[in-house]
Amino acid sequence: MTSAAVLSDLSKWLAATPLSHTIQTTGWIIPALQTIHILCVAVLFSSAILLDLRMWRLFQRDIALADVGQRFLPLIWAIVPILLITGGLLIVGEPRRSLLNSTFYLKMALLAFALALTGFLQWSLSSAPGFWDKDRGRRVAGRLAATVSILAWCGIIFAGRFIAYTQGG
Amino acid sequence: MLWPPDWIAYLEGSELADTIRENDLLFPVIESVHVLAICLVVGSILVVDLRLLGLASVTRPVSRITSSILPLTWCAFAVAVVSGGLMFISNATKYLGNGYFVAKMILIAVAGLNMVVFHAIGAKDMPKWEKSARLPLPARAAGALSILLWIAVVACGRWIGFTMEVR
């Protein structure tokens, strides 16, 4: 069986579950889940952007980078499970919309990358508070990492919105 | 009074509005930019609101938080207004007829009013208390109200997409 066939079968099976039926037939559930999902994205995205802006020295320069990290990084990890649950329920409600949509997989790949980068930033700040200030090379690398992080999170939001426009039949 | 006003009908009939309506890619791109901007507006305002409520950044004076974060909030808000405005003119009459759209505009206005009232009245003696973790009731109330209003703004925004056939 090809993976597309497996995903198609999985979608059919998911769509036939009682939970999926409830989500499909109760009109307010999907917009409510999407609202919670977007609010959580707002918290996570802003946290990540503020940390990235601090790495660029454009935000709260008077606070040590490691302290800004301590303020916002735990928030990112706390929000991820809520995003996975609301996102998971949206998939159960409309499996084909995501599971048979390459934009969804692009979003998940970007998410995995962004989270790995966030984990790396967290590790770097805990290993040495001045990790990104050691020398000129590190400072440039820090700004590069922050820029890549901003682009990855923006890409995730774009991909998320484009899932609605690229769904197949 | 003529409804919708002439200038809105003019914008809706403009070439720009026509392009946004007809182009398959333009609307989703503008919408994505709008979501991105709204996320920054809501997330950055939340940092201020949580400080007002005494739930985060309590070791920093309120004015230090606002001066570091509000420039980002205003930039994002400007992007949200422009991107939202472009979506609006592409189907102005339908948006004006949508209850969730109207509610969203009113809620944003109330959130702005909340901010203005807090600055004008609640924050008058701010230098006296802005360093303490637990702030006076008006400050906490303004923070709590702001959070609730912005949650409602996002909810209305999402519900517009489910109650309006634009394409």
Side-chain angles (χ1 to χ4, degrees):
Chain A
M1 244 169 120
T2 63
S3 61
V6 172
L7 288 168
S8 181
D9 282 358
L10 176 65
S11 300
K12 262 184 218 145
W13 177 79
L14 272 174
T17 57
L19 179 60
S20 180
H21 187 74
T22 306
I23 297 172
Q24 288 165 40
T25 52
T26 316
W28 56 267
I29 293 183
I30 287 177
L33 285 171
Q34 287 190 357
T35 301
I36 299 169
H37 198 74
I38 292 183
L39 286 167
C40 287
V41 170
V43 174
L44 189 159
F45 181 66
S46 299
S47 301
I49 295 296
L50 290 174
L51 182 62
D52 294 332
L53 287 177
R54 175 61 188 81
M55 293 187 74
W56 266 98
R57 302 183 61 81
L58 292 170
F59 170 71
Q60 294 190 341
R61 245 180 296 193
D62 54 327
I63 305 183
L65 174 60
D67 292 342
V68 176
Q70 249 166 19
R71 162 80 174 86
F72 291 108
L73 283 166
L75 210 50
I76 294 179
W77 299 115
I79 289 291
V80 170
I82 312 177
L83 285 170
L84 294 179
I85 292 169
T86 50
L89 287 170
L90 287 167
I91 293 173
V92 172
E94 297 175 286
R96 300 179 66 86
R97 183 177 189 259
S98 304
L99 296 180
L100 300 182
N101 187 336
S102 52
T103 311
F104 168 74
Y105 296 99
L106 173 67
K107 181 182 176 183
M108 291 303 105
L110 282 169
L111 176 65
F113 173 77
L115 289 177
L117 182 57
T118 305
F120 168 68
L121 290 179
Q122 187 159 22
W123 168 82
S124 70
L125 294 176
S126 64
S127 76
F131 187 92
W132 299 104
D133 263 326
K134 226 171 124 201
D135 50 46
R136 204 184 125 73
R138 282 281 175 89
R139 279 193 290 275
V140 173
R143 289 181 176 191
L144 189 67
T147 307
V148 172
S149 165
I150 292 173
L151 291 175
W153 289 115
C154 289
I156 290 167
I157 291 180
F158 264 77
R161 195 76 288 269
F162 267 81
I163 288 174
Y165 294 92
T166 51
Q167 49 187 326
Chain B
M1 201 180 85
L2 196 66
W3 192 258
D6 271 348
W7 64 273
I8 287 181
Y10 168 78
L11 287 174
E12 195 173 9
S14 68
E15 209 169 312
L16 178 63
D18 205 47
T19 311
I20 298 168
R21 262 194 308 273
E22 301 302 323
N23 188 301
D24 283 342
L25 200 60
L26 217 44
F27 194 91
V29 168
I30 295 170
E31 200 182 2
S32 300
V33 171
H34 192 66
V35 170
L36 209 143
I38 290 269
C39 281
L40 272 182
V41 170
V42 174
S44 63
I45 286 182
L46 190 62
V47 174
V48 177
D49 293 339
L50 290 177
R51 174 62 185 95
L52 292 176
L53 282 168
L55 295 173
S57 316
V58 289
T59 55
R60 305 254 301 160
V62 176
S63 61
R64 293 287 278 279
I65 300 286
T66 53
S67 65
S68 68
I69 213 154
L70 290 184
L72 176 70
T73 312
W74 282 116
C75 287
F77 187 73
V79 175
V81 169
V82 172
S83 54
L86 289 173
M87 290 195 288
F88 173 73
I89 63 164
S90 75
N91 266 292
T93 312
K94 278 187 184 167
Y95 277 107
L96 287 174
N98 183 290
Y100 292 103
F101 174 81
V102 176
K104 183 180 173 181
M105 293 305 111
I106 293 171
L107 286 164
I108 293 172
V110 176
L113 198 64
N114 176 47
M115 190 180 67
V116 169
V117 168
F118 173 65
H119 273 283
I121 302 166
K124 244 199 316 207
D125 51 354
M126 194 159 88
K128 269 192 271 177
W129 46 257
E130 66 157 346
K131 288 196 178 80
S132 38
R134 190 179 162 83
L135 305 182
L137 183 63
R140 280 180 282 145
L145 188 59
S146 168
I147 291 179
L148 293 175
L149 285 167
W150 284 107
I151 289 174
V153 168
V154 171
C156 284
R158 201 69 288 269
W159 249 275
I160 294 170
F162 285 87
T163 50
M164 220 177 78
E165 284 300 321
V166 288
R167 283 169 298 279

